Tab-separated table of all heavy atoms in Angstrom:
chain	number	residue	atom	x	y	z
H	393	LEU	N	-83.750	37.349	18.696
H	393	LEU	CA	-84.890	38.216	18.631
H	393	LEU	C	-85.414	38.290	17.125
H	393	LEU	O	-86.585	38.209	16.784
H	393	LEU	CB	-84.694	39.606	19.138
H	393	LEU	CG	-84.413	39.782	20.531
H	393	LEU	CD1	-84.063	41.305	20.949
H	393	LEU	CD2	-85.417	39.311	21.426
H	394	SER	N	-84.393	38.486	16.232
H	394	SER	CA	-84.668	38.516	14.761
H	394	SER	C	-85.269	37.278	14.377
H	394	SER	O	-86.103	37.194	13.380
H	394	SER	CB	-83.459	38.928	13.992
H	394	SER	OG	-82.957	40.185	14.344
H	395	SER	N	-84.702	36.079	14.796
H	395	SER	CA	-85.168	34.817	14.398
H	395	SER	C	-86.810	34.594	14.918
H	395	SER	O	-87.462	34.035	14.052
H	395	SER	CB	-84.299	33.758	15.003
H	395	SER	OG	-84.797	32.507	14.645
H	396	PHE	N	-87.140	35.099	16.040
H	396	PHE	CA	-88.410	35.081	16.410
H	396	PHE	C	-89.381	35.819	15.511
H	396	PHE	O	-90.424	35.312	15.218
H	396	PHE	CB	-88.493	35.563	17.973
H	396	PHE	CG	-89.960	35.741	18.440
H	396	PHE	CD1	-90.676	34.540	18.756
H	396	PHE	CD2	-90.573	36.914	18.399
H	396	PHE	CE1	-92.026	34.698	19.214
H	396	PHE	CE2	-91.882	36.994	18.874
H	396	PHE	CZ	-92.600	35.968	19.216
H	397	ARG	N	-88.973	36.984	15.168
H	397	ARG	CA	-89.738	37.901	14.269
H	397	ARG	C	-89.891	37.169	12.917
H	397	ARG	O	-90.906	37.220	12.403
H	397	ARG	CB	-89.184	39.187	14.122
H	397	ARG	CG	-90.065	40.172	13.328
H	397	ARG	CD	-89.257	41.634	13.288
H	397	ARG	NE	-90.151	42.569	12.556
H	397	ARG	CZ	-90.128	42.828	11.321
H	397	ARG	NH1	-89.302	41.991	10.534
H	397	ARG	NH2	-90.847	43.671	10.739
H	398	HIS	N	-88.861	36.602	12.491
H	398	HIS	CA	-88.819	35.788	11.216
H	398	HIS	C	-89.874	34.710	11.204
H	398	HIS	O	-90.598	34.594	10.257
H	398	HIS	CB	-87.511	35.297	10.886
H	398	HIS	CG	-87.426	34.255	9.788
H	398	HIS	ND1	-87.509	34.665	8.355
H	398	HIS	CD2	-87.349	32.913	9.730
H	398	HIS	CE1	-87.485	33.582	7.669
H	398	HIS	NE2	-87.436	32.576	8.571
H	399	TRP	N	-89.798	33.921	12.355
H	399	TRP	CA	-90.729	32.713	12.411
H	399	TRP	C	-92.167	33.333	12.617
H	399	TRP	O	-93.267	32.610	12.117
H	399	TRP	CB	-90.445	31.802	13.562
H	399	TRP	CG	-89.266	30.984	13.163
H	399	TRP	CD1	-87.958	31.082	13.567
H	399	TRP	CD2	-89.238	29.741	12.182
H	399	TRP	NE1	-87.219	30.151	13.018
H	399	TRP	CE2	-88.047	29.359	12.278
H	399	TRP	CE3	-90.251	29.296	11.391
H	399	TRP	CZ2	-87.587	28.189	11.351
H	399	TRP	CZ3	-89.905	28.283	10.588
H	399	TRP	CH2	-88.515	27.747	10.741
H	400	LEU	N	-92.475	34.500	13.143
H	400	LEU	CA	-93.696	34.972	13.436
H	400	LEU	C	-94.242	35.431	12.056
H	400	LEU	O	-95.502	35.174	11.733
H	400	LEU	CB	-93.583	36.245	14.306
H	400	LEU	CG	-94.947	36.940	14.573
H	400	LEU	CD1	-94.997	37.472	16.094
H	400	LEU	CD2	-95.087	38.216	13.721
H	401	ILE	N	-93.293	36.007	11.188
H	401	ILE	CA	-93.827	36.423	9.764
H	401	ILE	C	-94.159	35.248	9.004
H	401	ILE	O	-95.274	35.192	8.379
H	401	ILE	CB	-92.747	37.250	9.108
H	401	ILE	CG1	-92.612	38.523	9.957
H	401	ILE	CG2	-92.999	37.453	7.630
H	401	ILE	CD1	-91.461	39.371	9.310
H	402	CYS	N	-93.357	34.203	9.092
H	402	CYS	CA	-93.524	32.916	8.441
H	402	CYS	C	-94.960	32.323	8.766
H	402	CYS	O	-95.758	31.792	7.912
H	402	CYS	CB	-92.435	31.917	8.527
H	402	CYS	SG	-90.907	32.402	7.780
H	403	SER	N	-95.130	32.290	10.126
H	403	SER	CA	-96.390	31.713	10.587
H	403	SER	C	-97.696	32.566	10.116
H	403	SER	O	-98.659	31.992	9.823
H	403	SER	CB	-96.370	31.764	12.120
H	403	SER	OG	-95.359	30.752	12.645
H	404	TRP	N	-97.453	33.831	9.969
H	404	TRP	CA	-98.539	34.679	9.586
H	404	TRP	C	-98.946	34.402	8.057
H	404	TRP	O	-100.040	34.285	7.764
H	404	TRP	CB	-98.171	36.152	9.836
H	404	TRP	CG	-99.345	37.100	9.657
H	404	TRP	CD1	-100.580	36.840	9.760
H	404	TRP	CD2	-99.181	38.493	9.400
H	404	TRP	NE1	-101.420	37.830	9.630
H	404	TRP	CE2	-100.584	39.074	9.332
H	404	TRP	CE3	-98.194	39.343	9.245
H	404	TRP	CZ2	-100.922	40.322	9.134
H	404	TRP	CZ3	-98.489	40.723	8.995
H	404	TRP	CH2	-99.826	41.225	8.990
H	405	GLN	N	-97.746	34.343	7.228
H	405	GLN	CA	-97.897	34.110	5.861
H	405	GLN	C	-98.572	32.774	5.641
H	405	GLN	O	-99.523	32.635	4.733
H	405	GLN	CB	-96.591	34.132	5.152
H	405	GLN	CG	-96.795	33.997	3.675
H	405	GLN	CD	-95.435	33.965	2.942
H	405	GLN	OE1	-94.370	33.941	3.561
H	405	GLN	NE2	-95.473	33.970	1.665
H	406	ASN	N	-98.223	31.766	6.357
H	406	ASN	CA	-98.651	30.361	6.264
H	406	ASN	C	-100.145	30.292	6.620
H	406	ASN	O	-100.988	29.688	5.894
H	406	ASN	CB	-97.941	29.429	7.164
H	406	ASN	CG	-98.396	27.937	6.886
H	406	ASN	OD1	-98.405	27.537	5.806
H	406	ASN	ND2	-98.735	27.307	8.021
H	407	ALA	N	-100.504	31.094	7.647
H	407	ALA	CA	-101.948	31.058	8.099
H	407	ALA	C	-102.778	31.832	7.050
H	407	ALA	O	-103.958	31.412	6.772
H	407	ALA	CB	-102.025	31.668	9.423
Side-chain angles (χ1 to χ4, degrees):
L393 297 178
S394 298
S395 183
F396 171 77
R397 186 177 183 273
H398 166 76
W399 283 107
L400 180 143
I401 292 173
C402 291
S403 298
W404 194 21
Q405 181 183 9
N406 185 54

